[in-house]
Amino acid sequence: MAQARIGLIGLGVMGANLALNIAENEFPVAVFNRTGSVTDDYIASAGDLARNLVPTKTLEELVGALTKPRAIIIMVQAGAAVDAVIKGLTPLLDKGDMIIDAGNANFHDTRRREAALSDLGLNFIGMGVSGGEEGARNGPSIMVGGDKSSFEVIRDILEAISAKHDGAPCADHFGPDGAGHFVKTVHNGIEYADMQMIAEVYGLLRDGEGRSAANIGQLFETWDKGPLKSYLVEISGKVLQTVDEKSGQPIVDIIVDKAGQKGTGRWTAIEALSLGQSPSTIEAAVAARSWSAVKDTRIAGEALFAGLKVETGAAPISEDDLEKALLAAKIIAYDQGLNLLSAASVEYDWDLDLASCAEVWREGCIIRSTMLDEMASAVREGLPHGNLIFAPRFAQRIVEGSSALRRVVASAALQGLPVPAFAAALAYFDTMRQGRGTTDLVQGQRDFFGAHGFVRVDTGETDQHGPWASDIAHS
Ligand SMILES: NC(=O)C1=CN([C@@H]2O[C@H](COP(=O)(O)OP(=O)(O)OC[C@H]3O[C@@H](n4cnc5c(N)ncnc54)[C@H](OP(=O)(O)O)[C@@H]3O)[C@@H](O)[C@H]2O)C=CC1
Ligand SMILES: O=C(CO)[C@H](O)[C@H](O)COP(=O)(O)O
């Protein structure tokens, strides 16, 4: 007999907590996990919330436990696992039922799945969920893509379980097919850039000034009370001040410096490039994780270049400069992320509301910060030339922050300390404030070797060609 309003497959870190959140909001939820013993343990530890949880041991049982039209959340690893679950579910469902992929997914997969399920008369929602374990349990940020009418069917549940900003739910519908998963992907791209920039500050203080992890952690704790207040600065402060129980060392000192990546940062960079965009701060953060992975090579490089002299007399970087540089670079990362969303919206005809993106990121998600509220307002007011860094309320901060960013990047370069995301942010800013750049020469080179043509500054005539000096010399 149908007992539950919604189903959930995958009781891992995210699914288990999301189901508890749904149950706590008084929506009965039927749960299923591939490994059945996980479901038994889960129900046994759910306490009072077990009253709103319906455990099931087969997909047939799960489907039978749901009121119609059925709505089933899948919360498993991206890729083949999602396809396997969909394959098992579809023969059991009726036309009008809905599958919701709430994991991180490549939005191209979401578009493919939506089209295939639509042919079968089934609805498919691609839903990005951010906030990690704690967010899933107490209120994540939720980014929905797919048919709007399908979203309306589950809207009450999603709004109830989501984080709230001044009472407004951090859950919204962004457009058809892959729009929600794309917004989540770019969220993660910005997350990569933000994390990398914080790590660069850590590196400058650790390797440039010999400061201890705890001392740097305290600085982040202080910054978390000012304009940089954000979840990532807060947890960085906590991570750096945590002591490993086994060794008595700061825990970061015993963590191998090889960063994992499950794919969302890379998807952001790949998609950006195919859209003719370049969110260089995000690309730099993805690169930094990839470079971190080749630890043996870096160790060999350290030995090989051990004798290399770097500037030791570089001016010390002040804490004030670091704070301002981080703030400016972070604004630039958001500017680039929003530009990418805008380009994808045009390409895929999503009509994305960028202000809504910033609004659902204000609470619950990993990149939440006090600055996002102001960013959302700036986007609502309209961004000059589509750029956040041109918005009056951010342009001034960028002007002030850019001098600090310049000093930080210059000092890092002189000291031989890598700051790829900071450097990328600065180069982007300097490019965006240069009305005449240097690609006149690139255009000249292209025409020289490939007759690709150029546009004249003086007359505006297009498809112009040399003659070039060598042509002249040989003519
Ligand atoms: N962890 C995080 O902070 C966040 C994760 N996400 C995304 O959420 C999704 C789930 O992540 P997370 O909860 O961390 O993952 P976990 O590894 O904790 O759990 C994975 C779940 O998927 C199930 N599963 C794996 N393969 C299959 C399969 N072929 N068929 C059926 N079930 C399968 C597992 O079942 P079994 O017990 O049988 O192995 C398990 O329940 C991912 O897409 C992830 O990227 C999104 C936001 C934050
Ligand atoms: O979506 C998330 C946070 O928003 C997940 O934690 C995701 O796994 C983070 O990406 P990566 O594992 O590549 O660091």
mmCIF file of all heavy atoms in Angstrom, residues 144-186:
data_model
loop_
_atom_site.group_PDB
_atom_site.id
_atom_site.type_symbol
_atom_site.label_atom_id
_atom_site.label_comp_id
_atom_site.label_asym_id
_atom_site.label_seq_id
_atom_site.Cartn_x
_atom_site.Cartn_y
_atom_site.Cartn_z
ATOM 1 N N VAL A 144 17.365 23.472 -9.385
ATOM 2 C CA VAL A 144 16.540 22.525 -10.140
ATOM 3 C C VAL A 144 16.512 22.857 -11.630
ATOM 4 O O VAL A 144 16.379 24.020 -12.018
ATOM 5 C CB VAL A 144 15.090 22.549 -9.588
ATOM 6 C CG1 VAL A 144 14.221 21.534 -10.329
ATOM 7 C CG2 VAL A 144 15.071 22.275 -8.088
ATOM 8 N N GLY A 145 16.605 21.807 -12.457
ATOM 9 C CA GLY A 145 16.419 21.948 -13.899
ATOM 10 C C GLY A 145 15.442 20.899 -14.374
ATOM 11 O O GLY A 145 15.339 19.823 -13.786
ATOM 12 N N GLY A 146 14.720 21.198 -15.441
ATOM 13 C CA GLY A 146 13.733 20.244 -15.961
ATOM 14 C C GLY A 146 12.432 20.976 -16.204
ATOM 15 O O GLY A 146 12.365 22.206 -16.153
ATOM 16 N N ASP A 147 11.411 20.181 -16.461
ATOM 17 C CA ASP A 147 10.109 20.747 -16.744
ATOM 18 C C ASP A 147 9.583 21.515 -15.523
ATOM 19 O O ASP A 147 9.579 20.993 -14.413
ATOM 20 C CB ASP A 147 9.182 19.579 -17.102
ATOM 21 C CG ASP A 147 7.862 20.073 -17.618
ATOM 22 O OD1 ASP A 147 7.880 20.953 -18.484
ATOM 23 O OD2 ASP A 147 6.828 19.591 -17.134
ATOM 24 N N LYS A 148 9.126 22.759 -15.747
ATOM 25 C CA LYS A 148 8.678 23.595 -14.617
ATOM 26 C C LYS A 148 7.496 22.944 -13.896
ATOM 27 O O LYS A 148 7.396 22.995 -12.662
ATOM 28 C CB LYS A 148 8.296 24.988 -15.153
ATOM 29 C CG LYS A 148 7.867 25.994 -14.102
ATOM 30 C CD LYS A 148 9.038 26.636 -13.408
ATOM 31 C CE LYS A 148 8.667 27.496 -12.210
ATOM 32 N NZ LYS A 148 8.078 28.775 -12.481
ATOM 33 N N SER A 149 6.594 22.310 -14.656
ATOM 34 C CA SER A 149 5.414 21.728 -14.004
ATOM 35 C C SER A 149 5.815 20.547 -13.109
ATOM 36 O O SER A 149 5.173 20.299 -12.082
ATOM 37 C CB SER A 149 4.359 21.318 -15.028
ATOM 38 O OG SER A 149 4.915 20.400 -15.929
ATOM 39 N N SER A 150 6.896 19.851 -13.471
ATOM 40 C CA SER A 150 7.382 18.764 -12.600
ATOM 41 C C SER A 150 7.936 19.360 -11.307
ATOM 42 O O SER A 150 7.729 18.828 -10.216
ATOM 43 C CB SER A 150 8.487 17.961 -13.288
ATOM 44 O OG SER A 150 7.983 17.349 -14.430
ATOM 45 N N PHE A 151 8.666 20.470 -11.456
ATOM 46 C CA PHE A 151 9.199 21.150 -10.270
ATOM 47 C C PHE A 151 8.061 21.531 -9.331
ATOM 48 O O PHE A 151 8.163 21.362 -8.110
ATOM 49 C CB PHE A 151 9.992 22.393 -10.707
ATOM 50 C CG PHE A 151 10.339 23.337 -9.583
ATOM 51 C CD1 PHE A 151 11.186 22.946 -8.560
ATOM 52 C CD2 PHE A 151 9.810 24.629 -9.546
ATOM 53 C CE1 PHE A 151 11.508 23.825 -7.520
ATOM 54 C CE2 PHE A 151 10.126 25.506 -8.516
ATOM 55 C CZ PHE A 151 10.968 25.101 -7.493
ATOM 56 N N GLU A 152 6.955 22.020 -9.900
ATOM 57 C CA GLU A 152 5.831 22.460 -9.056
ATOM 58 C C GLU A 152 5.277 21.318 -8.210
ATOM 59 O O GLU A 152 4.833 21.535 -7.093
ATOM 60 C CB GLU A 152 4.710 23.080 -9.916
ATOM 61 C CG GLU A 152 5.083 24.384 -10.614
ATOM 62 C CD GLU A 152 5.483 25.520 -9.669
ATOM 63 O OE1 GLU A 152 5.172 25.441 -8.463
ATOM 64 O OE2 GLU A 152 6.151 26.472 -10.130
ATOM 65 N N VAL A 153 5.354 20.083 -8.737
ATOM 66 C CA VAL A 153 4.824 18.924 -8.004
ATOM 67 C C VAL A 153 5.600 18.691 -6.699
ATOM 68 O O VAL A 153 5.035 18.283 -5.686
ATOM 69 C CB VAL A 153 4.877 17.657 -8.905
ATOM 70 C CG1 VAL A 153 4.503 16.394 -8.125
ATOM 71 C CG2 VAL A 153 3.989 17.818 -10.124
ATOM 72 N N ILE A 154 6.885 18.958 -6.725
ATOM 73 C CA ILE A 154 7.721 18.673 -5.541
ATOM 74 C C ILE A 154 8.235 19.953 -4.867
ATOM 75 O O ILE A 154 9.010 19.891 -3.919
ATOM 76 C CB ILE A 154 8.934 17.778 -5.917
ATOM 77 C CG1 ILE A 154 9.677 18.362 -7.126
ATOM 78 C CG2 ILE A 154 8.505 16.347 -6.138
ATOM 79 C CD1 ILE A 154 11.021 17.736 -7.373
ATOM 80 N N ARG A 155 7.766 21.070 -5.357
ATOM 81 C CA ARG A 155 8.257 22.367 -4.857
ATOM 82 C C ARG A 155 8.101 22.485 -3.334
ATOM 83 O O ARG A 155 9.013 22.948 -2.640
ATOM 84 C CB ARG A 155 7.485 23.482 -5.548
ATOM 85 C CG ARG A 155 7.948 24.846 -5.153
ATOM 86 C CD ARG A 155 7.110 25.913 -5.855
ATOM 87 N NE ARG A 155 7.818 27.159 -5.827
ATOM 88 C CZ ARG A 155 7.896 28.023 -6.811
ATOM 89 N NH1 ARG A 155 7.275 27.798 -7.939
ATOM 90 N NH2 ARG A 155 8.586 29.126 -6.688
ATOM 91 N N ASP A 156 6.950 22.064 -2.806
ATOM 92 C CA ASP A 156 6.729 22.225 -1.357
ATOM 93 C C ASP A 156 7.770 21.455 -0.551
ATOM 94 O O ASP A 156 8.279 21.949 0.462
ATOM 95 C CB ASP A 156 5.298 21.813 -0.966
ATOM 96 C CG ASP A 156 4.952 20.387 -1.343
ATOM 97 O OD1 ASP A 156 5.633 19.817 -2.220
ATOM 98 O OD2 ASP A 156 3.998 19.822 -0.763
ATOM 99 N N ILE A 157 8.127 20.263 -1.042
ATOM 100 C CA ILE A 157 9.131 19.472 -0.309
ATOM 101 C C ILE A 157 10.497 20.160 -0.394
ATOM 102 O O ILE A 157 11.183 20.343 0.620
ATOM 103 C CB ILE A 157 9.238 18.036 -0.890
ATOM 104 C CG1 ILE A 157 7.877 17.334 -0.826
ATOM 105 C CG2 ILE A 157 10.322 17.236 -0.169
ATOM 106 C CD1 ILE A 157 7.879 15.926 -1.410
ATOM 107 N N LEU A 158 10.863 20.574 -1.616
ATOM 108 C CA LEU A 158 12.201 21.163 -1.804
ATOM 109 C C LEU A 158 12.353 22.464 -1.022
ATOM 110 O O LEU A 158 13.397 22.713 -0.403
ATOM 111 C CB LEU A 158 12.477 21.400 -3.295
ATOM 112 C CG LEU A 158 12.431 20.146 -4.185
ATOM 113 C CD1 LEU A 158 12.784 20.500 -5.629
ATOM 114 C CD2 LEU A 158 13.384 19.064 -3.665
ATOM 115 N N GLU A 159 11.293 23.270 -1.034
ATOM 116 C CA GLU A 159 11.390 24.535 -0.297
ATOM 117 C C GLU A 159 11.450 24.290 1.212
ATOM 118 O O GLU A 159 12.153 24.985 1.939
ATOM 119 C CB GLU A 159 10.215 25.443 -0.665
ATOM 120 C CG GLU A 159 10.344 25.946 -2.094
ATOM 121 C CD GLU A 159 9.363 27.046 -2.486
ATOM 122 O OE1 GLU A 159 8.385 27.297 -1.736
ATOM 123 O OE2 GLU A 159 9.583 27.643 -3.546
ATOM 124 N N ALA A 160 10.729 23.271 1.660
ATOM 125 C CA ALA A 160 10.732 22.978 3.102
ATOM 126 C C ALA A 160 12.103 22.507 3.573
ATOM 127 O O ALA A 160 12.574 22.899 4.649
ATOM 128 C CB ALA A 160 9.670 21.925 3.420
ATOM 129 N N ILE A 161 12.753 21.671 2.770
ATOM 130 C CA ILE A 161 14.023 21.078 3.241
ATOM 131 C C ILE A 161 15.229 21.982 2.981
ATOM 132 O O ILE A 161 16.307 21.748 3.504
ATOM 133 C CB ILE A 161 14.294 19.686 2.604
ATOM 134 C CG1 ILE A 161 14.505 19.799 1.084
ATOM 135 C CG2 ILE A 161 13.169 18.715 2.950
ATOM 136 C CD1 ILE A 161 15.022 18.519 0.444
ATOM 137 N N SER A 162 15.055 23.014 2.153
ATOM 138 C CA SER A 162 16.212 23.831 1.760
ATOM 139 C C SER A 162 16.621 24.808 2.861
ATOM 140 O O SER A 162 15.858 25.078 3.792
ATOM 141 C CB SER A 162 15.865 24.641 0.499
ATOM 142 O OG SER A 162 14.968 25.668 0.829
ATOM 143 N N ALA A 163 17.818 25.353 2.710
ATOM 144 C CA ALA A 163 18.271 26.453 3.588
ATOM 145 C C ALA A 163 17.390 27.665 3.319
ATOM 146 O O ALA A 163 16.742 27.761 2.278
ATOM 147 C CB ALA A 163 19.726 26.779 3.265
ATOM 148 N N LYS A 164 17.376 28.585 4.272
ATOM 149 C CA LYS A 164 16.569 29.803 4.091
ATOM 150 C C LYS A 164 17.472 31.030 4.248
ATOM 151 O O LYS A 164 18.360 31.044 5.098
ATOM 152 C CB LYS A 164 15.452 29.884 5.154
ATOM 153 C CG LYS A 164 14.599 28.620 5.301
ATOM 154 C CD LYS A 164 13.678 28.388 4.129
ATOM 155 C CE LYS A 164 12.845 27.133 4.240
ATOM 156 N NZ LYS A 164 13.562 25.862 4.359
ATOM 157 N N HIS A 165 17.207 32.042 3.426
ATOM 158 C CA HIS A 165 17.891 33.330 3.603
ATOM 159 C C HIS A 165 16.821 34.355 3.942
ATOM 160 O O HIS A 165 15.968 34.660 3.101
ATOM 161 C CB HIS A 165 18.640 33.738 2.327
ATOM 162 C CG HIS A 165 19.303 35.069 2.450
ATOM 163 N ND1 HIS A 165 20.548 35.224 3.025
ATOM 164 C CD2 HIS A 165 18.880 36.317 2.138
ATOM 165 C CE1 HIS A 165 20.873 36.499 3.032
ATOM 166 N NE2 HIS A 165 19.872 37.186 2.502
ATOM 167 N N ASP A 166 16.857 34.882 5.156
ATOM 168 C CA ASP A 166 15.787 35.784 5.625
ATOM 169 C C ASP A 166 14.406 35.201 5.316
ATOM 170 O O ASP A 166 13.509 35.905 4.820
ATOM 171 C CB ASP A 166 15.909 37.171 4.963
ATOM 172 C CG ASP A 166 17.102 37.947 5.505
ATOM 173 O OD1 ASP A 166 17.614 37.567 6.575
ATOM 174 O OD2 ASP A 166 17.526 38.917 4.840
ATOM 175 N N GLY A 167 14.266 33.905 5.519
ATOM 176 C CA GLY A 167 12.970 33.250 5.315
ATOM 177 C C GLY A 167 12.730 32.776 3.894
ATOM 178 O O GLY A 167 11.819 31.977 3.653
ATOM 179 N N ALA A 168 13.535 33.255 2.923
ATOM 180 C CA ALA A 168 13.325 32.835 1.529
ATOM 181 C C ALA A 168 14.058 31.516 1.274
ATOM 182 O O ALA A 168 15.238 31.391 1.604
ATOM 183 C CB ALA A 168 13.850 33.898 0.576
ATOM 184 N N PRO A 169 13.360 30.513 0.699
ATOM 185 C CA PRO A 169 14.023 29.229 0.459
ATOM 186 C C PRO A 169 15.148 29.331 -0.565
ATOM 187 O O PRO A 169 14.993 30.022 -1.577
ATOM 188 C CB PRO A 169 12.903 28.325 -0.066
ATOM 189 C CG PRO A 169 11.728 29.177 -0.306
ATOM 190 C CD PRO A 169 11.961 30.537 0.265
ATOM 191 N N CYS A 170 16.259 28.654 -0.269
ATOM 192 C CA CYS A 170 17.373 28.607 -1.225
ATOM 193 C C CYS A 170 17.161 27.407 -2.140
ATOM 194 O O CYS A 170 17.977 26.459 -2.178
ATOM 195 C CB CYS A 170 18.704 28.525 -0.488
ATOM 196 S SG CYS A 170 19.064 30.030 0.414
ATOM 197 N N ALA A 171 16.049 27.396 -2.826
ATOM 198 C CA ALA A 171 15.713 26.337 -3.787
ATOM 199 C C ALA A 171 14.963 27.012 -4.909
ATOM 200 O O ALA A 171 14.037 27.786 -4.656
ATOM 201 C CB ALA A 171 14.825 25.287 -3.129
ATOM 202 N N ASP A 172 15.390 26.735 -6.141
ATOM 203 C CA ASP A 172 14.693 27.380 -7.256
ATOM 204 C C ASP A 172 14.820 26.540 -8.516
ATOM 205 O O ASP A 172 15.692 25.677 -8.627
ATOM 206 C CB ASP A 172 15.270 28.791 -7.500
ATOM 207 C CG ASP A 172 14.200 29.753 -8.015
ATOM 208 O OD1 ASP A 172 13.136 29.273 -8.485
ATOM 209 O OD2 ASP A 172 14.419 30.972 -7.941
ATOM 210 N N HIS A 173 13.908 26.849 -9.448
ATOM 211 C CA HIS A 173 13.934 26.199 -10.762
ATOM 212 C C HIS A 173 14.643 27.155 -11.713
ATOM 213 O O HIS A 173 14.329 28.347 -11.757
ATOM 214 C CB HIS A 173 12.482 25.964 -11.221
ATOM 215 C CG HIS A 173 12.383 25.412 -12.590
ATOM 216 N ND1 HIS A 173 12.132 26.186 -13.698
ATOM 217 C CD2 HIS A 173 12.527 24.139 -13.043
ATOM 218 C CE1 HIS A 173 12.109 25.420 -14.777
ATOM 219 N NE2 HIS A 173 12.351 24.169 -14.409
ATOM 220 N N PHE A 174 15.605 26.629 -12.489
ATOM 221 C CA PHE A 174 16.413 27.523 -13.317
ATOM 222 C C PHE A 174 16.149 27.435 -14.813
ATOM 223 O O PHE A 174 16.561 28.306 -15.563
ATOM 224 C CB PHE A 174 17.901 27.299 -13.027
ATOM 225 C CG PHE A 174 18.275 27.862 -11.688
ATOM 226 C CD1 PHE A 174 18.360 27.055 -10.576
ATOM 227 C CD2 PHE A 174 18.462 29.228 -11.530
ATOM 228 C CE1 PHE A 174 18.643 27.585 -9.324
ATOM 229 C CE2 PHE A 174 18.745 29.777 -10.294
ATOM 230 C CZ PHE A 174 18.834 28.957 -9.188
ATOM 231 N N GLY A 175 15.511 26.356 -15.227
ATOM 232 C CA GLY A 175 15.251 26.220 -16.655
ATOM 233 C C GLY A 175 15.088 24.760 -17.003
ATOM 234 O O GLY A 175 15.108 23.895 -16.121
ATOM 235 N N PRO A 176 14.922 24.469 -18.290
ATOM 236 C CA PRO A 176 14.676 23.088 -18.701
ATOM 237 C C PRO A 176 15.932 22.202 -18.629
ATOM 238 O O PRO A 176 17.036 22.687 -18.343
ATOM 239 C CB PRO A 176 14.206 23.245 -20.152
ATOM 240 C CG PRO A 176 14.817 24.522 -20.604
ATOM 241 C CD PRO A 176 14.939 25.404 -19.411
ATOM 242 N N ASP A 177 15.732 20.964 -18.894
ATOM 243 C CA ASP A 177 16.753 19.888 -18.973
ATOM 244 C C ASP A 177 17.947 20.070 -18.026
ATOM 245 O O ASP A 177 17.793 19.965 -16.824
ATOM 246 C CB ASP A 177 17.199 19.662 -20.446
ATOM 247 C CG ASP A 177 17.676 20.926 -21.160
ATOM 248 O OD1 ASP A 177 18.790 21.344 -20.888
ATOM 249 O OD2 ASP A 177 16.916 21.472 -21.992
ATOM 250 N N GLY A 178 19.134 20.427 -18.553
ATOM 251 C CA GLY A 178 20.342 20.426 -17.717
ATOM 252 C C GLY A 178 20.628 21.716 -16.965
ATOM 253 O O GLY A 178 21.699 21.856 -16.359
ATOM 254 N N ALA A 179 19.690 22.667 -16.976
ATOM 255 C CA ALA A 179 19.983 23.991 -16.397
ATOM 256 C C ALA A 179 20.381 23.913 -14.921
ATOM 257 O O ALA A 179 21.334 24.561 -14.481
ATOM 258 C CB ALA A 179 18.782 24.918 -16.581
ATOM 259 N N GLY A 180 19.646 23.115 -14.147
ATOM 260 C CA GLY A 180 19.933 23.024 -12.707
ATOM 261 C C GLY A 180 21.297 22.412 -12.443
ATOM 262 O O GLY A 180 22.073 22.907 -11.606
ATOM 263 N N HIS A 181 21.601 21.335 -13.160
ATOM 264 C CA HIS A 181 22.910 20.697 -12.963
ATOM 265 C C HIS A 181 24.039 21.608 -13.456
ATOM 266 O O HIS A 181 25.145 21.573 -12.919
ATOM 267 C CB HIS A 181 22.955 19.334 -13.653
ATOM 268 C CG HIS A 181 22.469 18.221 -12.763
ATOM 269 N ND1 HIS A 181 21.771 17.123 -13.226
ATOM 270 C CD2 HIS A 181 22.593 18.041 -11.420
ATOM 271 C CE1 HIS A 181 21.482 16.322 -12.200
ATOM 272 N NE2 HIS A 181 21.969 16.857 -11.103
ATOM 273 N N PHE A 182 23.763 22.436 -14.479
ATOM 274 C CA PHE A 182 24.810 23.343 -14.934
ATOM 275 C C PHE A 182 25.081 24.417 -13.882
ATOM 276 O O PHE A 182 26.243 24.745 -13.602
ATOM 277 C CB PHE A 182 24.436 23.990 -16.282
ATOM 278 C CG PHE A 182 25.594 24.704 -16.901
ATOM 279 C CD1 PHE A 182 26.559 23.995 -17.611
ATOM 280 C CD2 PHE A 182 25.771 26.066 -16.737
ATOM 281 C CE1 PHE A 182 27.665 24.635 -18.150
ATOM 282 C CE2 PHE A 182 26.870 26.722 -17.272
ATOM 283 C CZ PHE A 182 27.823 26.006 -17.977
ATOM 284 N N VAL A 183 24.013 24.941 -13.289
ATOM 285 C CA VAL A 183 24.198 25.961 -12.239
ATOM 286 C C VAL A 183 25.004 25.355 -11.087
ATOM 287 O O VAL A 183 25.913 25.991 -10.538
ATOM 288 C CB VAL A 183 22.829 26.513 -11.754
ATOM 289 C CG1 VAL A 183 23.009 27.422 -10.546
ATOM 290 C CG2 VAL A 183 22.127 27.276 -12.877
ATOM 291 N N LYS A 184 24.702 24.095 -10.745
ATOM 292 C CA LYS A 184 25.457 23.435 -9.654
ATOM 293 C C LYS A 184 26.915 23.229 -10.067
ATOM 294 O O LYS A 184 27.840 23.378 -9.254
ATOM 295 C CB LYS A 184 24.802 22.097 -9.284
ATOM 296 C CG LYS A 184 25.618 21.268 -8.281
ATOM 297 C CD LYS A 184 25.638 21.904 -6.904
ATOM 298 C CE LYS A 184 26.638 21.436 -5.891
ATOM 299 N NZ LYS A 184 27.099 20.130 -5.739
ATOM 300 N N THR A 185 27.138 22.889 -11.326
ATOM 301 C CA THR A 185 28.516 22.679 -11.801
ATOM 302 C C THR A 185 29.325 23.971 -11.681
ATOM 303 O O THR A 185 30.465 23.960 -11.197
ATOM 304 C CB THR A 185 28.495 22.170 -13.261
ATOM 305 O OG1 THR A 185 27.801 20.927 -13.283
ATOM 306 C CG2 THR A 185 29.885 21.961 -13.818
ATOM 307 N N VAL A 186 28.722 25.087 -12.094
ATOM 308 C CA VAL A 186 29.449 26.360 -12.005
ATOM 309 C C VAL A 186 29.633 26.750 -10.526
ATOM 310 O O VAL A 186 30.678 27.294 -10.142
ATOM 311 C CB VAL A 186 28.738 27.466 -12.822
ATOM 312 C CG1 VAL A 186 29.404 28.812 -12.619
ATOM 313 C CG2 VAL A 186 28.731 27.094 -14.297
#
